[in-house]
Amino acid sequence: MHATLFSVQSFERSFLQHANTRHHQLQLLDTRLCADTAHLAQGAAAISVFSPDDVSGPVLEQLSSYGVRYVAVRAAGYDNVDLVAARQLGIRVANVPDYSPYAIAEHAVTLMLTLCRHLHQADQQLRANDFRLDQLIGFELHGKTVGILGVGRIGAVVARILHGFGCRLLGTDVQPNPELTERYGLEYVPLSQLCAQADIISVHTPLTPATHHLINERLLKSMKPGVMLINTGRGGVLDTAAALRALKSGHLGFLGLDVYEAEKGLFFTDHTRDLLLDDTFARLLTFKNVLITGHQAYLTREALTNIAEATVASLTAWGQGEAPAHELLPPPVKAGSSATPASAKA
């Protein structure tokens, strides 16, 4: 099968090439998919996309006119894909939901540990020959109450890891998993109770219309003073401007982010020669109690291998007239309804 892969990072290429044992014709582009670049897929039966790509209805219409019939998302989340429009156009879509919950969960806990022990600040001081410890007093995870917002595959691994640290675990999810309660003592509680009691909150919820800015000014004010908030899920779940105000007031004690609601056009690109025009992001970087990584939580050899293999497997299945293991099934479109973006598990 001839496939055009958009937003391919340099570190992805070897993994994709190694996984291509069926010798599909892969065109690997570092270009982001949008209305102005969709023409690059001409001649391809399939495309593959990543989180920075625009796979909205108008772009899908362009792709369909070029003969594209398949979209393989190299990620678990697919909130950038208009599934309703895809179904109307007869374009089939697959994602990679199970590439590695461990990669994301371990990164979330890494952010927690780095913040609670001021490791990023300690590194900066030491490199400046400042060996004082006065500003580096941290706290232990042991005995702390951690709230997990979204206890799916990733949240479950977070619970397992933090259980080993001796944390009290709270969780909120639309589908409680009794096994986590039995094995790790995780207590499912309403979101309001989780916010009121948790010393640390880790976000792993999908981005949907209902969860967009779920963590807003009101919810932040309901959290314990000095709370640590970690988001490795989707940037849009957090109202960043509200979080910035909570940091300035001191109510939000620590903030660890691997995702950012305005990350498109910012993350995955070298901007060393550019002015940082995002004032909110620039302000976040001035806080010593804020740690931001550029959407790298998934970036492990194991996860990259799984993503590449699953993406190629979807192409192979489609080429053989079969359904991939992780093909997405959008809801039926009612007559007269307009195409709206769908969303996915983080």
Side-chain angles (χ1 to χ4, degrees):
M1 177 179 289
H2 182 186
T4 299
L5 284 66
F6 289 90
S7 294
V8 176
Q9 304 297 311
S10 57
F11 55 77
E12 281 188 278
R13 290 177 173 269
S14 62
F15 291 93
L16 289 165
Q17 290 164 350
H18 187 266
N20 188 24
T21 57
R22 296 300 183 97
H23 304 293
H24 296 288
Q25 185 180 349
L26 304 182
Q27 181 184 18
L28 307 181
L29 304 177
D30 59 6
T31 308
R32 185 175 72 88
L33 174 63
C34 64
D36 293 332
T37 61
H39 68 275
L40 297 174
Q42 292 186 66
I47 66 164
S48 179
V49 298
F50 191 49
S51 57
D53 294 308
D54 175 6
V55 202
S56 59
V59 174
L60 285 167
E61 289 180 9
Q62 283 184 261
L63 293 169
S64 178
S65 71
Y66 300 141
V68 173
R69 291 292 173 262
Y70 310 104
V71 175
V73 182
R74 302 191 309 280
Y78 48 92
D79 45 273
N80 58 331
V81 182
D82 189 334
L83 286 183
V84 176
R87 188 173 193 180
Q88 290 175 330
L89 294 164
I91 295 176
R92 297 166 68 176
V93 183
N95 71 333
V96 188
D98 299 317
Y99 57 85
S100 179
Y102 305 101
I104 312 296
E106 290 176 8
H107 194 83
V109 176
T110 298
L111 292 175
M112 294 177 199
L113 289 168
T114 302
L115 283 167
C116 75
R117 299 306 298 270
H118 306 290
L119 297 184
H120 57 311
Q121 184 179 342
D123 179 70
Q124 293 171 1
Q125 286 186 198
L126 187 143
R127 292 175 186 273
N129 287 333
D130 182 354
F131 296 89
R132 293 173 299 171
L133 300 178
D134 306 63
Q135 304 300 317
L136 302 179
I137 299 173
F139 64 88
E140 300 170 4
L141 286 183
H142 180 81
K144 297 300 183 293
T145 298
V146 181
I148 303 174
L149 180 51
V151 197
R153 293 180 298 274
I154 297 169
V157 177
V158 171
R160 181 190 308 173
I161 294 171
L162 293 177
H163 177 262
F165 277 91
C167 296
R168 176 193 174 210
L169 301 175
L170 303 178
T172 181
D173 198 279
V174 293
Q175 294 181 322
N177 182 351
E179 182 182 354
L180 298 178
T181 300
E182 181 180 344
R183 297 184 65 178
Y184 308 121
L186 184 143
E187 180 184 357
Y188 284 94
V189 297
L191 180 58
S192 58
Q193 185 177 339
L194 183 148
C195 291
Q197 297 184 13
D199 302 299
I200 301 170
I201 296 176
S202 192
V203 181
H204 304 283
T205 187
L207 178 61
T208 69
T211 63
H212 180 256
H213 282 188
L214 172 65
I215 305 176
N216 52 25
E217 191 148 12
R218 179 191 60 78
L219 198 66
L220 285 163
K221 287 181 177 178
S222 74
M223 297 177 185
K224 294 176 66 172
V227 66
M228 177 186 292
L229 179 63
I230 304 293
N231 186 9
T232 56
R234 282 289 181 268
V237 176
L238 173 65
D239 182 341
T240 315
L244 184 56
R245 291 191 291 271
L247 285 165
K248 292 171 70 174
S249 72
H251 188 81
L252 182 57
F254 303 89
L255 178 63
L257 302 176
D258 185 59
V259 290
Y260 175 55
E261 61 178 323
E263 68 181 55
K264 279 190 177 180
L266 181 63
F267 288 4
F268 306 111
T269 306
D270 181 1
H271 291 289
T272 52
R273 298 186 179 183
D274 304 329
L275 290 174
L276 181 54
L277 300 178
D278 188 325
D279 293 339
T280 301
F281 191 79
R283 188 72 180 96
L284 285 174
L285 295 177
T286 66
F287 288 85
K288 292 183 178 180
N289 54 345
V290 171
L291 178 60
I292 304 176
T293 54
H295 207 134
Q296 72 174 81
Y298 78 101
L299 201 63
T300 64
R301 289 188 296 272
E302 294 83 357
L304 288 170
T305 298
N306 293 340
I307 290 170
E309 291 178 348
T311 299
V312 172
S314 293
L315 298 177
T316 300
W318 282 323
Q320 296 175 343
E322 301 171 356
H326 303 295
E327 188 165 51
L328 302 170
L329 299 176
V333 179
K334 296 181 180 179
S337 65
S338 59
T340 55
S343 46
K345 191 82 176 176

